[in-house]
Amino acid sequence: GLRYKLRMFGIPIDGAANVYCDNEAVYKNTSIPESVLKKKHHSIAYHRCREAVAVKIIRVAKQGTEKNLADLFTKVLTSARRSFLLERFTY
Protein backbone atom coordinates (compact mmCIF):
# COMPACT_ATOMS: atom_id res chain seq x y z
CA GLY A 1 0.00 0.00 0.00
CA LEU A 2 0.85 3.65 0.23
CA ARG A 3 2.59 3.33 3.60
CA TYR A 4 4.96 0.74 2.16
CA LYS A 5 5.80 2.93 -0.85
CA LEU A 6 6.46 5.95 1.35
CA ARG A 7 8.80 3.89 3.54
CA MET A 8 10.66 2.73 0.41
CA PHE A 9 11.22 6.41 -0.48
CA GLY A 10 12.67 6.96 2.98
CA ILE A 11 9.71 8.83 4.44
CA PRO A 12 9.05 7.59 7.98
CA ILE A 13 5.45 7.24 9.08
CA ASP A 14 4.92 7.16 12.82
CA GLY A 15 1.42 6.44 14.04
CA ALA A 16 -1.83 6.49 12.15
CA ALA A 17 -2.32 8.38 8.90
CA ASN A 18 -5.13 10.94 8.90
CA VAL A 19 -7.85 10.42 6.31
CA TYR A 20 -10.32 13.29 5.99
CA CYS A 21 -13.71 12.94 4.31
CA ASP A 22 -16.69 15.24 3.89
CA ASN A 23 -19.31 12.49 3.76
CA GLU A 24 -20.99 11.75 7.11
CA ALA A 25 -22.00 8.22 6.06
CA VAL A 26 -18.43 7.28 5.11
CA TYR A 27 -17.15 8.61 8.42
CA LYS A 28 -19.73 6.69 10.45
CA ASN A 29 -19.36 3.42 8.53
CA THR A 30 -15.58 3.33 8.85
CA SER A 31 -15.27 4.64 12.40
CA ILE A 32 -18.19 3.01 14.21
CA PRO A 33 -17.97 -0.80 14.18
CA GLU A 34 -21.64 -1.19 15.12
CA SER A 35 -22.88 0.54 11.96
CA VAL A 36 -24.72 -1.78 9.59
CA LEU A 37 -24.02 -1.82 5.87
CA LYS A 38 -27.08 -2.92 3.92
CA LYS A 39 -25.52 -3.69 0.55
CA LYS A 40 -22.95 -6.43 -0.02
CA HIS A 41 -20.68 -4.30 -2.22
CA HIS A 42 -20.59 -1.64 0.51
CA SER A 43 -19.60 -4.15 3.16
CA ILE A 44 -16.79 -5.50 0.98
CA ALA A 45 -15.47 -2.00 0.24
CA TYR A 46 -15.54 -0.87 3.89
CA HIS A 47 -14.15 -4.12 5.32
CA ARG A 48 -10.54 -3.16 4.61
CA CYS A 49 -11.04 0.39 5.91
CA ARG A 50 -12.60 -0.86 9.13
CA GLU A 51 -9.67 -3.22 9.66
CA ALA A 52 -7.19 -0.38 9.12
CA VAL A 53 -9.03 1.81 11.64
CA ALA A 54 -9.13 -1.06 14.14
CA VAL A 55 -5.37 -1.65 14.03
CA LYS A 56 -4.72 2.12 14.02
CA ILE A 57 -3.11 2.32 10.58
CA ILE A 58 -5.50 5.11 9.59
CA ARG A 59 -7.62 7.57 11.52
CA VAL A 60 -10.80 8.75 9.75
CA ALA A 61 -12.12 12.23 10.55
CA LYS A 62 -14.92 14.33 9.10
CA GLN A 63 -13.75 17.46 7.33
CA GLY A 64 -16.41 20.10 6.85
CA THR A 65 -16.93 21.61 3.43
CA GLU A 66 -15.72 25.02 4.60
CA LYS A 67 -12.15 23.72 4.99
CA ASN A 68 -12.11 20.85 2.51
CA LEU A 69 -9.11 21.28 0.21
CA ALA A 70 -10.37 18.63 -2.21
CA ASP A 71 -13.06 21.10 -3.32
CA LEU A 72 -10.33 22.90 -5.28
CA PHE A 73 -10.19 19.95 -7.67
CA THR A 74 -13.80 18.77 -7.66
CA LYS A 75 -16.10 21.83 -7.58
CA VAL A 76 -16.66 25.14 -9.30
CA LEU A 77 -15.77 27.83 -6.75
CA THR A 78 -16.00 31.59 -6.48
CA SER A 79 -12.72 33.45 -6.72
CA ALA A 80 -12.82 34.37 -3.01
CA ARG A 81 -13.45 30.76 -1.98
CA ARG A 82 -10.74 29.50 -4.33
CA SER A 83 -8.23 32.01 -2.93
CA PHE A 84 -9.08 31.00 0.64
CA LEU A 85 -8.53 27.30 -0.10
CA LEU A 86 -5.35 27.96 -2.09
CA GLU A 87 -3.88 29.87 0.85
CA ARG A 88 -4.57 26.89 3.10
CA PHE A 89 -3.23 24.47 0.48
CA THR A 90 0.11 26.21 0.05
CA TYR A 91 0.45 27.18 3.73
Side-chain angles (χ1 to χ4, degrees), residues 29-45:
N29 286 327
T30 56
S31 300
I32 303 170
E34 296 83 27
S35 66
V36 178
L37 298 168
K38 296 179 181 172
K39 306 251 188 235
K40 185 175 181 178
H41 64 278
H42 288 162
S43 63
I44 291 170

Side-chain angles (χ1 to χ4, degrees), residues 61-75:
K62 182 161 180 346
Q63 178 77 35
T65 189
E66 67 278 350
K67 294 182 180 179
N68 190 354
L69 296 177
D71 287 352
L72 280 169
F73 308 108
T74 59
K75 295 181 181 175

